[in-house]
Amino acid sequence: MAHIYLASPHMSEEGFEQEYIKEAFDSNWIAPLGKNVNEFEKELASAVGAKDAAALSSGSAAIHLALKAAGVKEGDLVFCQDLTFSATANPIAYERAVPVFIDSDYETWNMSPEALERAFEKYPQVKAVLPVHLYGLPANMERIMDICKKHGVPVIEDAAESLGSLYHGQHTGTFGDYGIFSFNGNKIITTSGGGMLVCNLEEEKAKERIKKARFWATQAREPARHYEHKEIGYNYRMSNIVAGIGRGQLKVLEQRVEQKRQIFAYYQEHLGDLKGLAFMPLHENERANCWLSVIRLEADCPVRPLDVMIALEKEDIESRPVWKPMHLQPVFQDCAYVDNGDVGATLFRQGVCLTSDTKLTEKELERICGIIRGLWR
């Protein structure tokens, strides 16, 4: 049987991506500029309701430039969600700033507002807050934004995994001062690699900040006849080819969200009765894109996460653990951590990300559920 991926690229059946790529080739606009880049920025900003956007080489690049735009400098403290992929935290180190990791809660699996409040009491000098929408689950942005506004600290939303997710009817990535999205190969839509920085400040300021981000992303080259540089720049701009893929993928975003949600619903229906097995939390006032369908094997469960992963692996089916929290990573072991009952560490120990590929057939889903159910017998 064919290998079943956790989450693989899924090009549109209509071939939208090929049309935009062909246009780039026909016009010879292959460099990191061109019509596709400009239009992808506009189309993404319009799709999520952001004021402006800059197309970049990765979501990590977008976080890095968001930190710079927010004024984070060497030695500054940044509150960062603890339960996340390292790409959220690494850009803090790029600026020689200092991460303080904030634990999650069970209600959202994302940054705990209670822990955030305690972090502000202990570290009032913080310069930015970086919540994440883990696996497409919206964080509690209402409370997080209230807390950060009270303290006058900018918010950078890591929406790398949550494009298409809605919180109170509003797209994730558009609550904070800045938001970032990723189009890596396994994301809900992909450009093979790439990211987007959006700004949600008032319109004139947003355009000014995004213009500055584009400047940094193109090696901070000054508008002179010769090559003039007054600041350190980066090679972070998205290519016109990659942006063409993104424009095509954006046309099928709603379809992909629906497919991801149907996969999660299938797992709920066919695994929900198993002793000690719980699912990642969904809420009525939200639409999670369910980028990955995640189960939690609680303390009374007779099966362990590794049992599930090994059983699937034997059948050539991919799964993976939940992200290992940042405060447990050797590279960040000396950083401060604000605990909320070690929720993130518990989810890491108990969680399994199940196959969530949008090309899965019902027969394949039935087979996956059969393998998992067999472990309870």
Side-chain angles (χ1 to χ4, degrees), residues 80-370:
C80 178
Q81 184 160 313
D82 186 51
L83 184 60
T84 186
F85 180 46
S86 64
T88 305
N90 287 339
I92 300 170
Y94 300 167
E95 284 301 297
R96 299 177 184 273
V98 180
V100 174
F101 295 113
I102 313 296
D103 199 6
S104 292
D105 57 38
Y106 289 118
E107 290 72 30
T108 66
W109 288 17
N110 290 306
M111 184 179 283
S112 159
E114 288 76 15
L116 180 61
E117 284 272 29
R118 284 186 275 109
F120 270 110
E121 290 169 10
K122 192 169 184 180
Y123 306 101
Q125 70 275 36
V126 65
K127 292 299 173 68
V129 176
L130 226 174
V132 181
H133 303 292
L134 194 77
Y135 302 126
L137 302 173
N140 188 341
M141 291 311 298
E142 184 175 18
R143 288 199 58 199
I144 290 170
M145 289 305 299
D146 284 347
I147 294 165
C148 293
K149 283 176 181 176
K150 181 174 73 176
H151 292 277
V153 174
V155 174
I156 299 165
E157 283 178 80
D158 183 347
E161 301 172 0
S162 69
L163 181 61
S165 294
L166 302 176
Y167 176 80
H168 295 187
Q170 183 175 332
H171 279 270
T172 55
T174 65
F175 289 85
D177 302 72
Y178 304 93
I180 76 97
F181 300 98
S182 170
F183 311 115
N184 196 19
N186 61 7
K187 294 301 187 290
I188 193 159
I189 66 170
T190 182
T191 60
S192 77
M196 192 78 73
L197 170 64
V198 300
C199 188
N200 310 304
L201 299 169
E202 61 89 15
E203 195 151 345
E204 188 175 334
K205 188 171 283 188
K207 292 195 176 303
E208 173 194 313
R209 297 287 175 86
I210 290 295
K211 182 180 179 182
K212 186 70 172 181
R214 292 191 190 110
F215 168 75
W216 285 325
T218 46
Q219 301 289 18
R221 183 184 172 188
E222 298 289 337
R225 185 180 293 273
H226 58 279
Y227 289 87
E228 181 82 7
H229 306 272
K230 297 177 182 176
E231 299 181 56
I232 296 296
Y234 309 89
N235 185 17
Y236 278 172
R237 231 21 191 127
M238 181 181 283
S239 88
N240 203 44
I241 297 294
V242 164
I245 301 172
R247 293 183 71 191
Q249 285 273 283
L250 199 54
K251 289 179 180 290
V252 295
L253 173 60
E254 286 300 312
Q255 183 181 333
R256 297 292 176 262
V257 171
E258 186 55 33
Q259 289 170 319
K260 291 280 191 180
R261 288 174 60 83
Q262 286 174 3
I263 290 166
F264 182 71
Y266 189 97
Y267 285 134
Q268 282 185 307
E269 181 182 349
H270 293 85
L271 300 175
D273 63 321
L274 295 175
K275 175 181 170 59
L277 188 150
F279 291 88
M280 63 188 192
L282 302 187
H283 302 288
E284 286 185 11
N285 60 350
E286 301 168 2
R287 181 185 76 168
N289 72 6
C290 298
W291 170 58
L292 293 183
S293 290
V294 188
I295 59 172
R296 180 183 170 200
L297 306 183
E298 298 175 319
D300 64 340
C301 184
V303 175
R304 298 291 87 209
L306 189 59
D307 299 332
V308 174
M309 289 183 271
I310 289 173
L312 292 172
E313 192 176 278
K314 285 178 178 175
E315 298 296 324
D316 212 13
I317 299 167
E318 286 187 0
S319 61
R320 69 159 60 143
V322 165
W323 299 124
K324 184 178 182 179
M326 291 300 100
H327 84 280
L328 298 177
Q329 299 288 352
V331 70
F332 293 121
Q333 64 185 357
D334 295 328
C335 296
Y337 165 59
V338 181
D339 185 8
N340 188 46
D342 263 351
V343 171
T346 302
L347 294 174
F348 165 59
R349 289 194 305 272
Q350 297 181 344
V352 182
C353 302
L354 297 181
T355 314
S356 306
D357 196 289
T358 49
K359 297 182 294 301
L360 279 171
T361 65
E362 186 164 345
K363 188 173 181 180
E364 287 170 330
L365 279 166
E366 184 181 350
R367 181 175 158 229
I368 292 164
C369 290

Side-chain angles (χ1 to χ4, degrees), residues 38-63:
N38 298 336
E39 293 303 312
F40 188 32
E41 291 174 339
K42 292 175 188 174
E43 289 160 6
L44 189 285
S46 175
V48 301
K51 298 292 197 314
D52 205 352
L56 304 169
S57 57
S58 68
S60 301
I63 293 175

Side-chain angles (χ1 to χ4, degrees), residues 58-77:
S58 68
S60 301
I63 293 175
H64 185 193
L65 296 189
L67 289 165
K68 285 179 67 68
V72 172
K73 294 181 171 55
E74 183 173 354
D76 287 343
L77 297 185

